[in-house]
Amino acid sequence: MRDVLAEIWSTVRRNKLRTALTGFAVAWGIFMIIFLLGAGNGLINAQKIQSDRFLDNSMMVGAGYTSKAYDGLKEGRRITLNDKDKALTDQSYKQYVEDTGAELQQSGITLTKDANYVSVTLSGVYPNEVKINKKEMLYGRFINQIDIEQSRKSLVLSEDDAKELLPGDVSNLVGQYVNVGDMAFRVVGIYEADKSGMNRGAFIPFTTFRTIYNKGDEVGNIVFSFHGLETEKDNEEFETQYRARINGNHRAAPDDEGAVWIWNRFTQNMQMNKGIGIIQTALWIIGLFTLLSGIVGVSNIMLITVKERTREFGIRKAIGAKPLSILRLIITESIIITTFFGYIGMVLGVAANAYMDATIGRMKVDSGLFEATMFYNPTVGIGTCISATVVMIVAGTLAGLIPARKAAKIRPIEALRAE
């Protein structure tokens, strides 16, 4: 084996440029597939973070304005969801709906504590808010059912707003009273703010909010979790039927999406996963074509090697060399070149991903009002890196097999006549 390696090394030294170009093609192929997958994962992971802020199997239902005339009424009527709509959701769809709540909001509400104050959007919610919009409680608790039943003056704040009202250890704010406008509310919990601008604000019991702001039987937006709707078709059929029932409560056309809108986070997540799948497939296709260029490079160098060494192989066979020894020589050369440069490409690809992770791997856009993660953890698992390298080694071996078999089959007399 040592003689074989020495001969391969001698061949490489005589053809430095050709070997370097082939090695570059191999290393570049491995590097690009790892780099592209890492960059793609950075974008995909950022999108997953955005979608993970909400419970997948949940819907939010809101009202707008009718977009078409119906039942003798003109388009453009404002629709307001009420207790009847919430009761319909609870009672008529028990086979799907798990936990129903509602949300009313009032913006520009000032909270004060001694000399400190902060302006917030105040929301009246049900206990399921903490589960559906995935709020992580840092101190205390969220709104509970007793708060709803007794219309308590309970208040839940974000960590950022709590810091404005009580600089220092905000956990001390739990149990204290904060003025919401002209009324004193007891702080029962503080949750972690996610900086997105979509999942923050101050929360009080829904019944308390509706009483304070004289909302009558309004429910604002209806929010609920569900089960049993596993496919897009199931969800579309449910939404069509549900919208028709709600619209019927307000004398709107059954298919009027302007009158009642539905934000289905389950189907949104399914569509996002489809998009992610398309992106990943595209990246793999681009990467595989790049790998293919390296495989072609290995095949070409083996073909040229066989052609240049035809006389040498003829002499070897004339003095007794077996076809298997020639086959082994060329295959071994192909494996060594592919493995060496494939490993270099893998190391460089992993290093490039590590550099991306260290520099832009936590990239966020901060508008002053909210933060959004745009690029997160742009890395590829070591298993993927090794798999790509092994694929290149195997493909490079197969690429060298064709010229190797050709060299092994050549007749000595024909080889000696070669120029």
Side-chain angles (χ1 to χ4, degrees):
M1 188 63 183
R2 182 180 298 178
D3 293 338
V4 173
L5 293 177
E7 188 169 352
I8 291 173
W9 174 244
S10 176
T11 303
V12 169
R13 291 182 62 187
R14 289 198 307 268
N15 301 280
K16 294 178 182 178
L17 179 60
R18 189 173 67 203
T19 303
L21 291 175
T22 302
F24 175 79
V26 173
W28 181 254
I30 297 292
F31 171 82
M32 283 305 297
I33 193 169
I34 295 175
F35 179 80
L36 287 173
L37 290 176
N41 285 341
L43 296 172
I44 290 169
N45 291 337
Q47 291 301 312
K48 287 182 177 179
I49 288 175
Q50 305 299 329
S51 65
D52 283 347
R53 292 193 176 100
F54 309 106
L55 184 68
D56 286 346
N57 59 317
S58 66
M59 294 190 197
M60 176 180 285
V61 183
Y65 294 85
T66 58
S67 60
K68 57 181 71 175
Y70 181 76
D71 197 22
L73 301 174
K74 293 183 178 181
E75 71 275 10
R77 286 187 301 118
R78 185 175 183 274
I79 302 298
T80 302
L81 299 181
N82 54 39
D83 286 335
K84 184 179 179 181
D85 301 313
K86 183 175 180 297
L88 184 149
T89 306
D90 273 328
Q91 299 167 10
S92 299
Y93 296 95
K94 289 182 179 179
Q95 69 271 36
Y96 300 120
V97 175
E98 294 176 348
D99 191 8
T100 306
E103 177 186 43
L104 285 165
Q105 289 187 338
Q106 188 75 25
S107 60
I109 302 299
T110 301
L111 309 182
T112 58
K113 171 67 175 172
D114 299 327
N116 301 315
Y117 66 91
V118 63
S119 180
V120 301
T121 295
L122 186 67
S123 300
V125 297
Y126 279 78
N128 68 342
E129 168 73 16
V130 70
K131 179 179 72 171
I132 287 180
N133 287 322
K134 291 188 177 180
K135 289 177 173 56
E136 182 177 348
M137 300 304 298
L138 299 177
Y139 311 103
R141 62 171 177 83
F142 197 71
I143 303 298
N144 61 27
Q145 190 60 35
I146 298 177
D147 292 327
I148 298 293
E149 293 171 358
Q150 298 182 5
S151 297
R152 288 177 172 177
K153 291 182 179 179
S154 301
L155 177 67
V156 177
L157 298 172
S158 72
E159 183 182 17
D160 290 347
D161 293 334
K163 288 178 179 178
E164 293 291 331
L165 296 174
L166 186 66
D169 187 359
V170 295
S171 64
N172 293 327
L173 191 59
V174 176
Q176 298 191 36
Y177 285 86
V178 169
N179 290 326
V180 179
D182 298 327
M183 292 171 289
F185 277 68
R186 184 171 179 266
V187 178
V188 298
I190 297 172
Y191 68 92
E192 182 179 13
D194 63 14
K195 310 293 185 181
S196 69
M198 298 175 62
N199 199 8
R200 60 174 299 177
F203 300 91
I204 65 174
F206 180 84
T207 50
T208 307
F209 184 101
R210 199 157 67 168
T211 300
I212 291 173
Y213 293 101
N214 193 27
K215 292 296 183 178
D217 66 347
E218 290 184 34
V219 297
N221 298 327
I222 299 172
V223 291
F224 59 87
S225 55
F226 62 89
H227 65 273
L229 302 174
E230 304 295 337
T231 65
E232 281 195 67
K233 183 180 179 182
D234 291 340
N235 280 269
E236 288 173 1
E237 290 175 352
F238 172 83
E239 289 179 31
T240 300
Q241 185 185 47
Y242 179 77
R243 179 181 284 109
R245 293 286 301 277
I246 297 294
N247 282 354
N249 286 346
H250 301 276
R251 294 177 64 189
D255 60 345
D256 191 344
E257 296 183 7
V260 172
W261 53 264
I262 300 175
W263 178 14
N264 189 331
R265 290 154 178 173
F266 182 78
T267 54
Q268 175 183 282
N269 191 57
M270 290 179 68
Q271 292 165 359
M272 186 189 74
N273 288 337
K274 285 183 180 179
I276 289 174
I278 292 172
I279 292 173
Q280 289 177 327
T281 300
L283 290 174
W284 270 106
I285 290 174
I286 294 171
L288 290 174
F289 272 109
T290 309
L291 281 178
L292 183 61
S293 68
I295 295 169
V296 171
V298 174
S299 181
N300 285 340
I301 194 172
M302 292 297 104
L303 285 169
I304 295 172
T305 297
V306 169
K307 185 175 181 180
E308 290 182 346
R309 301 173 67 184
T310 300
R311 287 178 61 85
E312 175 191 335
F313 294 148
I315 294 172
R316 284 171 178 266
K317 295 190 72 174
I319 61 177
K322 296 182 179 180
L324 183 61
S325 65
I326 297 175
L327 184 68
R328 183 176 60 187
L329 175 65
I330 298 174
I331 289 295
T332 303
E333 182 177 342
S334 176
I335 292 174
I336 290 174
I337 291 174
T338 308
T339 302
F340 178 75
F341 287 102
Y343 179 77
I344 291 176
M346 183 185 74
V347 171
L348 292 176
V350 171
N353 284 344
Y355 178 77
M356 276 198 299
D357 191 27
T359 53
I360 60 176
R362 300 293 186 274
M363 181 183 290
K364 294 183 178 180
V365 172
D366 189 349
S367 70
L369 297 176
F370 67 89
E371 286 184 359
T373 302
M374 304 301 294
F375 204 71
Y376 182 79
N377 191 23
T379 57
V380 178
I382 190 65
T384 301
C385 298
I386 294 175
S387 296
T389 306
V390 170
V391 167
M392 175 61 86
I393 293 171
V394 172
T397 302
L398 295 176
L401 184 61
I402 297 174
R405 291 184 63 187
K406 181 180 178 181
K409 290 180 179 180
I410 194 169
R411 295 170 61 188
I413 189 65
E414 294 177 357
L416 293 172
R417 289 175 180 171
E419 293 294 333

